[in-house]
Amino acid sequence: MVQFRFVVLRTIAKLRTTANVTMVIKANDDTTQKLGYFSSSPGHSCKHIRDSGDSTGDGEYWIDPEKNGRPLKVLCHMTTDGGGWLNVATLKKADSSPTWTAEISYRGISNYQNNLMAISTSSMRQLRSHLNFTQLRFHCSKENGCIFHVITVINSTGEAVVQYFSGQSSVLQASCGSFITMKDDNSYLAQQCHRWGNDGSRHYVGKWGHFNKNGEQRMYDHSAFVAHRYHWVVYNNVWLCDESRGNVFATSTEDFWKIYVR
């Protein structure tokens, strides 16, 4: 009787152990199957991860834009305007004279942690060939309170802007009607879209960009500006967020210029 009881107890203990191990394995399997958590289960894009329901807020995720088994870790913003945003530029002025060079491959977006990451126009074109994103988000903020924060709209006007900044067109595009402002935007720049740009004949033409600054850094050099007044410029050691060169506020380590696609 004693021996029988011992066998029963040992069997029960073994079953409990097996059940616990099975539960742990199952829990781990559930985690690894979530899109974007590990390199073994990347999403196609930040939007793909958001749409799957697997996102857990802003942060690092794995994506594989080319679906070729070469995933990369990127920064996804999953809260603003419904989320699904992929960071393609993060620039912070960490010292008196920081330098940065535009990434020549879209895969440079994985360097976001150095705070001097920004991809070139050609890289944007590469990325769009794999993801076919339809929106851009420009967001700069300075400690003094200047905030420029806009998102291009999903219509033909907004699409033309995406094409311009993705290097699919060199034609300056209409600014008014091409974007919406976010709640935290307090910029004069966004309020005066009809005065943006320079098309080569004159200023104040109501266009994104500058006819003479539409190369590989077009997202950073006079991308949006009202001449002599308000600017988005983060290039060649000029750091302007809704400011002019003659009225530049002090720059702090908390200031940033970021661009996202979705």
Side-chain angles (χ1 to χ4, degrees):
M1 180 65 71
V2 173
Q3 183 178 3
F4 175 75
R5 183 181 179 188
F6 173 75
V7 171
V8 171
L9 292 175
R10 186 171 63 178
T11 302
I12 292 173
K14 184 177 181 180
L15 289 172
R16 286 176 176 173
T17 301
T18 302
N20 289 337
V21 170
T22 301
M23 290 176 65
V24 170
I25 292 174
K26 187 176 187 303
N28 288 338
D29 285 345
D30 289 344
T31 300
T32 56
Q33 292 307 309
K34 285 190 174 182
L35 288 179
Y37 278 51
F38 301 100
S39 60
S40 58
S41 56
H44 181 49
S45 65
C46 294
K47 184 177 182 297
H48 179 211
I49 296 170
R50 181 207 66 178
D51 292 346
S52 74
D54 286 342
S55 67
T56 55
D58 303 340
E60 298 177 333
Y61 293 87
W62 287 90
I63 66 170
D64 186 357
E66 298 181 55
K67 298 181 179 179
N68 63 357
R70 296 177 61 220
L72 63 160
K73 186 183 288 187
V74 299
L75 182 64
C76 296
H77 205 221
M78 299 297 197
T79 52
T80 297
D81 191 53
W85 295 99
L86 169 61
N87 180 239
V88 296
T90 291
L91 296 165
K92 292 186 177 183
K93 190 175 181 180
D95 56 51
S96 60
S97 184
T99 58
W100 63 272
T101 302
E103 302 281 353
I104 61 174
S105 167
Y106 83 84
R107 296 184 68 84
I109 58 179
S110 61
N111 296 326
Y112 61 88
Q113 290 180 327
N114 67 22
N115 292 324
L116 290 174
M117 181 278 291
I119 68 173
S120 66
T121 303
S122 297
S123 299
M124 282 285 285
R125 187 165 58 249
Q126 292 173 10
L127 183 62
R128 197 171 198 221
S129 70
H130 302 307
L131 296 186
N132 195 32
F133 50 83
T134 58
Q135 290 180 284
L136 297 171
R137 177 157 68 96
F138 291 84
H139 188 192
C140 66
S141 176
K142 298 193 76 171
E143 195 173 34
N144 65 5
C146 295
I147 300 174
F148 176 67
H149 195 183
V150 302
I151 295 177
T152 58
V153 294
I154 304 177
N155 61 23
S156 59
T157 306
E159 169 62 19
V161 176
V162 174
Q163 289 185 12
Y164 173 71
F165 286 113
S166 298
Q168 296 171 294
S169 168
S170 293
V171 179
L172 303 186
Q173 299 298 327
S175 45
C176 292
S178 69
F179 66 88
I180 58 173
T181 57
M182 295 294 93
K183 290 182 179 180
D184 59 342
D185 177 271
N186 61 11
S187 67
Y188 292 105
L189 183 56
Q191 297 173 28
Q192 299 187 30
C193 59
H194 61 287
R195 301 181 67 212
W196 288 15
N198 182 325
D199 65 1
S201 62
R202 61 187 178 90
H203 288 304
Y204 316 120
V205 292
K207 306 276 189 180
W208 287 85
H210 189 293
F211 82 100
N212 200 32
K213 303 178 186 296
N214 63 353
E216 290 298 307
Q217 287 80 30
R218 66 179 65 176
M219 290 198 299
Y220 315 104
D221 191 3
H222 288 77
S223 313
F225 73 102
V226 175
H228 315 301
R229 298 289 291 175
Y230 314 111
H231 299 73
W232 165 286
V233 178
V234 54
Y235 180 65
N236 199 24
N237 206 30
V238 177
W239 303 72
L240 302 178
C241 179
D242 199 36
E243 305 159 290
S244 68
R245 288 191 184 220
N247 186 29
V248 181
F249 295 96
T251 306
S252 80
T253 56
E254 299 303 313
D255 301 343
F256 64 79
W257 287 254
K258 298 182 179 182
I259 302 175
Y260 300 85
V261 301
R262 179 174 66 183

